[in-house]
Amino acid sequence: MSRVHAPRGLAELLALRADLPGAALMAGGTDLVPRSRARGGLPEDVILLQDVPELHGITSGKGLLRIGAAATHAALLADPRVGRGLPVLARALACLASPAIRNMGSIGGNICTASPAGDTLPPLHVLEARVELAGREGVRELSLAEFILGPGRTALGPGEVLCAVLVPRPEGFSLQHFEKVGLRGAMAIAVVSLAAMLRLDGRGRVAEARLAWGSAGPAVVRCPAAEAALLGRRPTLSALRAAARHARAAVRPIDDLRASAAYRREVAGNLLLRLADLSSR
Amino acid sequence: MPQEFSQIDRRHPRNDALPKALGLERFAADHYPEGLLWAGARRAGIPHARIRTVDVSAAAALPGVVRVLTRADVAGSNLQGIVHKDQPVLAGDKVRHCGDAVALVLAVDRETLARALSLVRLDLEPLPGVFDPAQALKKGAPLVHEGRRGGNVLVRASIRTGRGAAVLRECPVVVRGTFSTPMQAHAFIETENGTARLLPDGTLEMTVSTQAPFRDRFEIAQALGLDPMRIRVVAPYLGGGFGGKDGATVQCLLALAALHAGGRPVKMWWEREESMLAGYKRHAARLTYALGADRDGTLRALSCRIVMDSGAYAHLGGEVMALGMESAGGPYRIPHADIRGLCVYTNNPVAGAFRGFGAAQTAFAAERMMDRLAEKLGMDPLELRLRNALRRGDRNAAGVTMTASTGMAACLEALRAHPAYAAREAWKRAAPPHARRGAGVAAACIGVGYGRGLPDAATARIELTETGTFRIFNAVPDMGQGNASAFALIAAEALGQSPASFELVQPDTACCLPSGSSSAGRTTYTYGNALVRACGALRDRLLVRGAMALLADDTADLTLAPGAVRHVKSGRAVPLALLARMMILEDRTATAEFVMPVTPDATGGKGFVIGFPHLLFAYAAVLALSEVDELTGAVRVRRFVSATDGGRVLNPQGFEQQVAGALIQGMGWALSEDVLTREGRILNPDLSTYLVPTAADAPEVDCLAVDSVEETGPFGMKGIGEVNLNAALPSIGAAVQDACGARLDAAPLTPEKVLGARPRRARRTP
Amino acid sequence: MTIRFLLNGREVACESAPDRRAVDLLREEFGLTGVKEGCGGGECGACAVLVDGSARLSCLMLAAQLAGRSVVTVEGLGTAEAPHPLQTAFAEHGAVQCGYCAPGMLMAAADLLARDPSPDREAIAGAVSGTLCRCGGYGKIVEAVERAAEAMRPGPVRKALRKKRGGA
Ligand SMILES: Cc1cc2nc3c(=O)[nH]c(=O)nc-3n(C[C@H](O)[C@H](O)[C@H](O)COP(=O)(O)OP(=O)(O)OC[C@H]3O[C@@H](n4cnc5c(N)ncnc54)[C@H](O)[C@@H]3O)c2cc1C
Ligand code: FES
Ligand code: FES
């Protein structure tokens, strides 16, 4: 039988965290519980984040949205600052798992799980989001790339908690897109996914491109060469095809139950072509 | 003259719908008898091994563990199986697939049970295994069951009609193909479960999620050395079955546990992963076909070889194959055929009954061959089918004569007349960017009932209750198909009462009468027919008793009106409630038998035990409209239109449920469902890796019923639960090919396969 | 530990291990077997209940998480005497086959209608897309939710009345 702790504030949480280094943090539990079940049970101590108010709010600061790590996917979707303000993230949230899981699961849980298929990760990468970690010693900030080290591995220190995700408000990115390729219409883990943000100049040419792929390597894959290939060009099929070639060279996918590496590689490139339909509308 | 009905062919909500929607209906899984123990099986975990020792000492020593049982504790034959008894309750000498049970634990709660199961120490000596039929058929291949004359061949059967496959040489047009279909999991949401208790008088009382409570008694009795008449099985509404709860799942293990529980009730409920591991599956199949025709499209000859993977045990392998072979040539006239079938043991998960029952596999091959033929002849696929469609009096490729209602042509004509059929080209042209659209047609048929070799019988029981309402003793489990509600409707029609005046008792071997299993499209047909007769007998009885009460000397002057027996001329009536009080239970009860007629065709073919041929068939023609994403290869079915011949429709709502449900289950099999194994181990044992369709995948479905009456059926119906499933995969396959040119003969049609199979010219993405 | 919460509108308390699965607590301690289990891993949606008004999966929740919350199961949505419009619509429009998915479907639908009283078919399908119906009854399920939403929306008379009151 596990002990379940329900701290009521961040200070209490950090104290517990320091006292119980082996304890598992549980936000929505949608990763922790099934994973523990497969391993034969929950850890001896479980610390619930549900009653820690500091981890739940969404606040806007100077050019920044600060999202509490335990904010649920549903809460984010319902907030116009995400729902309308960050379409690339909102699209990913809208197809993450199922509505009930979105009512439970948190953005912090999605990040800390560090799954190559985590749906919020490619959007957070192109949004250039940072994470805020708190420990007894204080607070530090890391980029997502610094925080996620590999499948299931993060830079979270002992005694630390992921407090918030800091998302700079994107300016001028008129084209934001997320697409997940799954094996069915809902409740599908990403076989490969693409998050894209394009900033276009007055003549419709790409002034800045940010592209990130999920399930295409041990962590989210960025591809500067593909981004560069789009610069100064309209996002036409031929420009996107050129970028796609770079993308296919950059991804490091694996074979698994859902698809082969070769398929993932091909589709990682193909997904870029969808941007042509979007920008022509 | 068209018959006038008061209840039949009208939309009725099902009797079970509201209680289920209120959460009040108790499924087997919802029973938690006071003081229960939890039972669970330790499974082999490796596909083929000799058992050296099963050390239960550590498990038995765990506080909270009541008993740990092994093969040595089984007193009977230890063998389960519906026809061939080859599956041990607890494996003693060797294990033949990963899901074989080797020890059975009883514990006070689930946590203790789980720990104890992990403490059972198995010393297994791995043996080389066989993991596909081709490997199993090789000379010198490891034997799944030693000492059998046929080696790894469970059943070898053949059917030859006319001059056989030799006629292919005379055909001006011949098409060939090799197809494969995957193992499919039933994946009912209520997994296999039940409760059991040994009563002080020695009766074993069980409540099980089962499709065949009457057969269960005998199976349990034989395996465990008990008196079948001391076993009572109750089968509440099932949370899905689809064939996967036909035959022993928890039954024997649970009964064994109850025998050793000191009179305490025992509950066993398989977790999802255990259900995947130990539950039955649809047989994976490989089908090699050649089909010959004249230049005008008239079919002449068929040659086919069907190989099915039975997994470690027989279950209904032979019977599944028989049905597949019977409709191997599809719903068409083919005068000359050679149909050969092999059902083969391997060390894979156990295959068994599944909606579509063998005919689903052959329909894929047969229909895609028809498409290929149409392509070669430059004919319209629907017209080609219509030209060859079986009509009453025709013989199919297996030599079975269609002597009963045969609506295949009517189904195809109804489909052709549907607006979506005419509009398909316009729909295709309106494809969004990066999408290609296609339309595909398939026709399918399936035998209804057990077929020759086994009486397909039911005995209905109905009673007038003390309060003047009626009680039907349903004896065939309702796994969701709605037969129980259909029975209320049938009885309401037969007795001229309102459906609300019927109460349904669900199958219970203690008070319902043996009526076979819930399967084979026979459930409503066979029991329904018996019920019509029982209602007739009850009506006659009530008229006689009513005559007494009304002092009428001729029952011909009386009618059974809603709630009363009425004297027609005088208008005087005696309420049933009053009448009931004057009758003892026996007097208020009527029972009647029905045995399904059999085809006059002799049991054709070689190698069949039971299940061939059939008298009755259900038919369907299906149009699938599908969209293929050119960037990902993902297929979405946007719409199905189905035209079905299931005889007269009893309740349009129930009809639509069955048609759409079968199509969506078939669509899952076509697109995403595939039990993946490596060396006999299941790689996708849960519902996030084994992918059944969600609401976001479900297309619009139009369900048409053609005008048809099956004279032998209750009010003209015949079973329609399965046939549409068989048309889903081939129609989607045709639609995908029409959309993007990808011709895929190995299901499922995953995005990866579709993307890879597009012909070169289609590959250049626009 | 003692866990107190509001269950189908009534205050309840029970002794439970804090890490017991909520689904087991509800089914076994409170006899609310309308809460179904189909996978135990968040994959089928059968175990959904409303927690503080939003649909959650009781197989992934621990008993301790219920403390101080309001929990509604299918039994609390409506009763035999006064079924919820969703329950009535499910029964009438053929959304129930084996019915094992129905409670989870109803919870997902109730959550949706609380947020969006007039969803279109696509929104309904999306809202129930985490609840598997192996009987394949999605078309009728979506239709039933549509019908229930209609029945629950204030009709023209009620709408007019409300407007009037608001204006006064
Ligand atoms: C059926 C099913 C389908 C799913 N489908 C998807 C999908 O489509 N896409 C997808 O991306 N994911 C999916 N998931 C995974 C999961 O739902 C998400 O990753 C979710 O965002 C996890 O959030 P949570 O709050 O539930 O995490 P939890 O389970 O509570 O936690 C996950 C991990 O993160 C740690 N953690 C959580 N919060 C913090 C914090 N603030 N600080 C430090 N550590 C923390 C926990 O200790 C734990 O190790 C699915 C899960 C299930 C069960
Ligand atoms: S039982 Fe909870 S989601 Fe399946
Ligand atoms: S009605 Fe059977 S699972 Fe939905």
Side-chain angles (χ1 to χ4, degrees):
Chain A
M1 188 171 91
S2 322
R3 287 185 296 257
V4 181
H5 310 268
R8 305 247 148 208
L10 187 58
E12 195 187 333
L13 167 63
L14 293 177
L16 268 172
R17 186 92 167 110
D19 291 347
L20 304 167
L25 296 178
M26 171 160 162
T30 61
D31 260 318
L32 181 72
V33 175
R35 192 143 28 92
S36 307
R37 182 172 163 265
R39 286 185 194 155
L42 286 164
E44 218 165 293
D45 287 282
V46 174
I47 305 175
L48 301 179
L49 304 184
Q50 62 180 26
D51 301 317
V52 180
E54 293 92 327
L55 298 185
H56 286 267
I58 306 174
T59 50
S60 348
K62 266 200 314 239
L64 206 74
L65 201 61
R66 185 177 188 282
I67 302 173
T72 63
H73 305 308
L76 292 181
L77 275 168
D79 191 309
R81 289 167 296 179
V82 176
R84 278 205 292 279
L86 304 173
V88 65
L89 179 59
R91 285 215 183 109
L93 291 170
C95 67
L96 189 151
S98 66
I101 289 182
R102 297 198 286 273
N103 285 339
M104 306 170 75
S106 64
I107 189 161
N110 201 244
I111 295 172
C112 292
T113 298
S115 157
D119 282 329
T120 68
L121 304 180
L124 291 174
H125 267 273
V126 293
L127 287 164
E128 303 189 332
R130 297 174 68 76
V131 293
E132 182 185 296
L133 310 172
R136 274 282 186 73
E137 286 73 52
V139 174
R140 60 182 180 131
E141 249 186 66
L142 295 177
S143 73
L144 219 52
E146 289 164 332
F147 183 65
I148 296 180
L149 305 175
R153 288 192 308 120
T154 67
L156 192 75
E160 271 186 330
V161 173
L162 172 63
C163 273
V165 187
L166 310 172
V167 186
R169 191 167 304 124
E171 298 292 348
F173 285 88
S174 59
L175 205 157
Q176 298 195 25
H177 176 63
F178 176 83
E179 178 173 356
K180 164 160 91 173
V181 180
L183 296 179
R184 63 178 167 187
M187 292 279 281
I189 303 295
V191 167
V192 56
S193 65
L194 167 70
M197 295 186 14
L198 300 186
R199 189 157 58 76
L200 305 180
D201 66 15
R203 286 184 299 173
R205 298 200 173 125
V206 177
E208 185 180 354
R210 298 184 193 165
L211 308 169
W213 286 264
S215 289
V220 167
V221 174
R222 295 291 300 262
C223 178
E227 294 174 357
L230 292 176
L231 286 185
R233 303 182 66 180
R234 290 204 177 80
T236 57
L237 279 176
S238 71
L240 291 162
R241 275 204 196 98
R245 279 193 290 277
H246 292 291
R248 292 192 190 103
V251 294
R252 294 280 171 271
I254 56 163
D255 288 321
D256 68 8
L257 273 189
R258 295 184 177 90
S260 71
Y263 173 79
R264 290 188 158 97
R265 184 181 301 282
E266 178 174 1
V267 174
N270 287 359
L271 288 182
L272 283 174
L273 306 188
R274 196 92 66 199
L275 298 175
D277 310 338
L278 301 171
S279 60
S280 66
R281 265 192 231 141
Chain B
M1 198 184 75
Q3 240 172 306
E4 279 298 317
F5 294 110
S6 60
Q7 307 297 341
I8 298 296
D9 205 8
R10 276 164 219 235
R11 218 163 258 279
H12 297 270
R14 290 165 52 155
N15 300 43
D16 54 342
L18 190 59
K20 286 173 176 175
L22 290 165
L24 301 178
E25 187 64 57
R26 300 231 163 210
F27 295 79
D30 298 334
H31 291 262
Y32 294 90
E34 194 63 32
L36 65 80
L37 298 173
W38 287 85
R42 173 63 192 266
R43 311 240 167 226
I46 60 172
H48 199 196
R50 185 136 336 268
I51 300 175
R52 285 206 200 95
T53 53
V54 179
D55 177 2
V56 303
S57 53
L62 190 72
V65 170
V66 175
R67 280 299 296 271
V68 185
L69 305 165
T70 61
R71 166 68 182 96
D73 300 295
V74 182
S77 71
N78 192 38
L79 289 175
Q80 328 174 76
I82 298 175
V83 180
H84 302 254
K85 302 211 177 285
D86 62 358
Q87 183 171 5
V89 179
L90 287 175
D93 53 347
K94 73 178 222 172
V95 298
R96 298 182 181 83
H97 78 121
C98 291
D100 263 334
V102 275
L104 179 64
V105 176
L106 280 93
V108 293
D109 56 42
R110 267 183 287 185
E111 293 67 38
T112 312
L113 176 64
R115 281 207 48 207
L117 287 171
S118 69
L119 290 176
V120 173
R121 272 194 284 273
L122 303 183
D123 183 3
L124 304 178
E125 175 195 334
L127 298 171
V130 282
F131 303 106
D132 74 63
Q135 192 190 355
L137 290 171
K138 283 205 182 110
K139 239 195 151 121
L143 292 175
V144 180
H145 297 265
E146 285 98 351
R148 293 184 76 256
R149 271 190 47 214
N152 285 329
V153 175
L154 166 62
V155 178
R156 182 192 302 273
S158 60
I159 300 171
R160 189 186 153 87
T161 54
R163 287 182 286 124
V167 177
L168 282 172
R169 267 183 268 123
E170 304 164 16
C171 294
V173 190
V174 176
V175 287
R176 294 173 197 281
T178 297
F179 303 84
S180 67
T181 61
M183 201 186 325
Q184 184 181 23
H186 302 81
F188 23 67
I189 310 298
E190 182 197 23
T191 53
E192 297 86 342
N193 77 90
T195 55
R197 169 185 227 157
L198 187 63
L199 300 182
D201 72 357
T203 309
L204 190 58
E205 216 172 69
M206 311 182 67
T207 299
V208 183
S209 192
T210 175
Q211 292 175 226
F214 289 94
R215 189 203 311 121
D216 286 347
R217 278 192 309 181
F218 291 91
E219 209 171 331
I220 297 164
Q222 201 170 42
L224 303 184
L226 304 173
D227 173 0
M229 299 318 288
R230 306 298 290 278
I231 303 174
R232 172 182 178 191
V233 181
V234 179
Y237 283 104
L238 280 70
F242 316 115
K245 292 174 183 169
D246 192 3
T249 58
V250 297
Q251 290 88 327
C252 296
L253 290 167
L254 193 54
L256 178 64
L259 294 179
H260 293 90
R264 288 176 73 176
V266 182
K267 184 174 177 78
M268 178 182 248
W269 188 358
W270 292 359
E271 293 194 346
R272 176 56 58 191
E273 291 77 1
E274 186 173 19
S275 170
M276 269 295 211
L277 176 68
Y280 304 110
K281 307 284 181 296
R282 185 191 301 286
H283 293 75
R286 200 175 156 78
L287 313 110
T288 310
Y289 268 61
L291 180 64
D294 284 331
R295 293 216 180 279
D296 65 358
T298 306
L299 299 179
R300 295 201 51 207
L302 169 75
S303 148
C304 70
R305 179 181 155 92
I306 303 159
V307 182
M308 289 190 176
D309 183 349
S310 191
Y313 300 105
H315 195 272
L316 286 173
E319 295 63 37
V320 167
M321 207 177 60
L323 219 72
M325 290 172 67
E326 181 178 36
S327 42
Y332 308 112
R333 281 181 306 273
I334 307 180
H336 309 281
D338 264 320
I339 302 167
R340 283 167 299 151
L342 274 176
C343 196
V344 182
Y345 283 121
T346 64
N347 297 109
N348 285 330
V350 186
F354 198 144
R355 194 182 204 174
F357 211 85
Q361 290 91 324
T362 52
F364 180 44
E367 289 303 289
R368 297 302 284 137
M369 291 306 288
M370 289 298 278
D371 290 332
R372 220 160 278 186
L373 189 60
E375 215 177 310
K376 203 156 180 179
L377 292 168
M379 274 181 81
D380 177 83
L382 192 151
E383 298 304 328
L384 176 67
R385 286 170 167 87
L386 200 49
R387 161 182 286 270
N388 292 287
L390 286 168
R391 294 170 195 262
R392 201 173 202 149
D394 287 344
R395 283 179 162 225
N396 75 3
V400 185
T401 315
M402 304 296 123
T403 55
S405 54
T406 308
M408 189 65 255
C411 290
L412 287 162
E413 281 157 4
L415 200 61
R416 189 174 56 184
H418 192 274
Y421 185 75
R424 67 195 191 286
E425 291 303 326
W427 180 79
K428 280 160 59 177
R429 283 192 296 273
H434 290 305
R436 299 269 188 125
R437 287 175 166 179
V441 166
C445 61
I446 190 166
V448 170
Y450 292 155
R452 291 210 70 158
L454 190 70
D456 190 320
T459 306
R461 171 175 174 193
I462 181 165
E463 100 188 17
L464 176 70
T465 68
E466 281 171 303
T467 59
T469 59
F470 295 88
R471 186 174 290 140
I472 299 167
F473 291 81
N474 170 25
V476 255
D478 188 328
M479 50 179 160
Q481 76 270 54
N483 52 297
S485 299
F487 297 153
L489 215 57
I490 286 171
E493 185 70 53
L495 292 170
Q497 307 293 314
S498 106
S501 54
F502 292 83
E503 177 194 318
L504 287 153
V505 173
Q506 294 310 316
D508 178 345
T509 58
C511 61
C512 305
L513 303 169
S515 293
S517 55
S518 183
S519 62
R522 56 147 331 245
T523 310
T524 306
Y525 175 93
T526 307
Y527 187 90
N529 264 323
L531 185 59
V532 170
R533 290 186 181 174
C535 288
L538 185 60
R539 191 208 308 104
D540 292 347
R541 179 89 47 78
L542 294 177
L543 293 184
V544 171
R545 300 293 173 259
M548 187 70 91
L550 293 166
L551 298 175
D553 51 14
D554 187 353
T555 54
D557 297 337
L558 301 178
T559 63
L560 184 57
V565 173
R566 186 177 303 280
H567 188 258
V568 180
K569 280 183 227 145
S570 68
R572 286 179 305 129
V574 53
L576 293 179
L578 188 66
L579 214 50
R581 263 181 270 143
M582 300 187 282
M583 297 167 74
I584 62 166
L585 178 62
E586 282 70 15
D587 201 15
R588 285 185 276 114
T589 302
T591 66
E593 265 76 41
F594 178 80
V595 184
M596 191 185 221
V598 292
T599 166
D601 291 332
T603 312
K606 276 196 215 116
F608 293 118
V609 183
I610 57 173
F612 177 86
H614 286 78
L615 173 72
L616 300 181
F617 290 81
Y619 302 89
V622 169
L623 167 70
L625 297 176
S626 304
E627 206 166 279
V628 177
D629 187 304
E630 287 185 292
L631 301 183
T632 64
V635 176
R636 280 217 53 179
V637 180
R638 294 291 178 185
R639 189 171 184 181
F640 279 125
V641 182
S642 155
T644 304
D645 165 22
R648 184 177 275 118
V649 171
L650 297 182
N651 178 358
Q653 190 184 76
F655 172 83
E656 291 158 9
Q657 289 179 329
Q658 285 294 293
V659 170
L663 284 169
I664 287 175
Q665 211 164 53
M667 181 186 82
W669 190 46
L671 298 180
S672 59
E673 294 183 39
D674 186 356
V675 179
L676 300 167
T677 58
R678 185 182 302 134
E679 305 244 295
R681 288 176 174 81
I682 296 181
L683 304 174
N684 50 349
D686 54 42
L687 295 177
S688 63
T689 46
Y690 183 83
L691 302 176
V692 307
T694 71
D697 301 285
E700 199 184 321
V701 185
D702 296 65
C703 310
L704 317 175
V706 301
D707 228 347
S708 158
V709 175
E710 170 45 49
E711 293 87 347
T712 66
F715 298 110
M717 71 76 71
K718 57 187 175 182
I720 49 117
E722 308 186 73
V723 66
N724 277 276
L725 188 144
N726 302 354
L729 169 56
S731 63
I732 295 170
V736 167
Q737 185 177 347
D738 186 39
C740 68
R743 195 173 84 182
L744 287 166
D745 295 337
L749 281 53
T750 60
E752 179 161 3
K753 284 194 218 161
V754 172
L755 199 67
R758 289 172 313 150
R760 277 265 157 242
R761 64 189 150 73
R763 281 213 207 178
R764 255 195 76 84
T765 37
Chain C
M1 70 183 275
T2 308
I3 298 169
R4 286 172 211 287
F5 60 108
L6 210 56
L7 180 55
N8 292 332
R10 290 196 4 244
E11 272 184 49
V12 297
C14 72
E15 279 307 312
S16 163
D19 65 343
R20 184 156 185 205
R21 301 188 312 164
V23 61
D24 297 334
L25 189 79
L26 295 169
R27 287 174 59 86
E28 297 172 17
E29 293 310 309
F30 294 100
L32 297 171
T33 52
V35 184
K36 300 298 185 214
E37 179 175 354
C39 71
E43 301 155 5
C44 74
C47 65
V49 296
L50 297 176
V51 178
D52 291 343
S54 78
R56 292 174 187 234
L57 302 174
S58 61
C59 73
L60 297 183
M61 290 189 77
L62 311 182
Q65 288 180 278
L66 300 182
R69 312 260 160 166
S70 163
V71 177
V72 176
T73 70
V74 71
E75 292 93 337
L77 197 61
T79 60
E81 296 71 41
H84 188 280
L86 275 166
Q87 292 169 315
T88 312
F90 264 53
E92 271 178 14
H93 297 285
V96 176
Q97 297 189 46
C98 85
Y100 204 77
C101 68
M105 287 286 178
L106 286 159
M107 291 294 130
D111 177 318
L112 169 72
L113 295 188
R115 286 178 284 114
D116 178 359
S118 340
D120 60 15
R121 291 182 68 88
E122 199 183 329
I124 298 170
V128 301
S129 65
T131 319
L132 299 178
C133 176
R134 189 51 162 164
C135 298
Y138 297 120
K140 290 198 183 301
I141 288 165
V142 170
E143 184 191 332
V145 177
E146 242 181 337
R147 294 288 92 81
E150 274 162 25
M152 288 164 70
R153 276 198 296 273
V157 179
R158 268 153 68 197
K159 246 187 227 160
L161 272 175
R162 192 191 289 169
K163 235 186 215 160
K164 223 166 149 190
R165 240 181 279 133

